[in-house]
Amino acid sequence: MKRTNDLLKIRELLQRRRRDILMANQGAQRELSSLKDQDRDPEYEENAQAELADYTLSSLMEAQRREVMLIDAALRRMDTGVFGTCVDCGYDIPIERLEALPFAIRCEEDATRHELEVRGGHQATPTI
């Protein structure tokens, strides 16, 4: 029962984070449109700053899009009853790991093993 309550809290956090990202993304879209609508003098030195801001906003929006995709995938796993189950070993992922990394699909041990395999063996440094 405690795990179920913990998973419900994680769902609420994911949903809140998704809303926050979408609101921030709308603001970034408006900023980006505003930057693109400005008349720019090609010799004006702020042109480079505007291009940097444009690049930064575009990168931010892409990172937000990827995070929303991860959140949506986690919510789908919740809806299908597989959220919190390691895709490799089938055991429950500890709630502490899910609270820290709600997109986790592997327990810590299997995630480390997977990273080592992907990155080329034991010489590689695991990420998460």
Side-chain angles (χ1 to χ4, degrees):
M1 187 66 178
K2 171 145 174 44
R3 184 167 174 90
T4 302
N5 289 337
D6 289 338
L7 293 178
L8 286 173
K9 288 178 187 174
I10 292 172
R11 176 186 279 279
E12 290 170 8
L13 290 172
L14 285 169
Q15 290 170 331
R16 188 175 316 122
R17 177 69 182 147
R18 187 180 195 284
R19 279 191 303 271
D20 292 347
I21 290 170
L22 293 177
M23 287 176 52
N25 192 282
Q26 289 172 351
Q29 290 275 4
R30 285 191 297 275
E31 271 299 308
L32 194 54
S33 292
S34 175
L35 278 173
K36 289 181 178 182
D37 290 343
Q38 290 177 358
D39 290 330
R40 296 184 189 155
D41 179 353
E43 296 184 46
Y44 195 57
E45 70 181 43
E46 285 190 17
N47 192 32
Q49 291 174 341
E51 287 177 13
L52 177 62
D54 181 38
Y55 172 78
T56 302
L57 283 171
S58 295
S59 297
L60 174 65
M61 288 171 13
E62 177 60 22
Q64 290 170 332
R65 185 188 67 76
R66 281 192 304 270
E67 188 172 352
V68 167
M69 287 175 58
L70 289 170
I71 289 170
D72 287 347
L75 291 171
R76 277 193 305 277
R77 287 193 304 277
M78 286 180 173
D79 291 342
T80 58
V82 297
F83 180 83
T85 302
C86 178
V87 296
D88 291 340
C89 69
Y91 289 112
D92 284 346
I93 299 171
I95 201 71
E96 297 80 15
R97 178 166 172 77
L98 292 171
E99 288 171 341
L101 190 65
F103 319 120
I105 60 172
R106 291 181 173 87
C107 65
E108 192 170 353
E109 183 179 331
D110 286 332
T112 300
R113 185 178 305 116
H114 178 76
E115 285 289 322
L116 289 172
E117 289 169 3
V118 169
R119 296 188 183 273
H122 291 289
Q123 296 81 15
T125 305
T127 55
I128 295 179

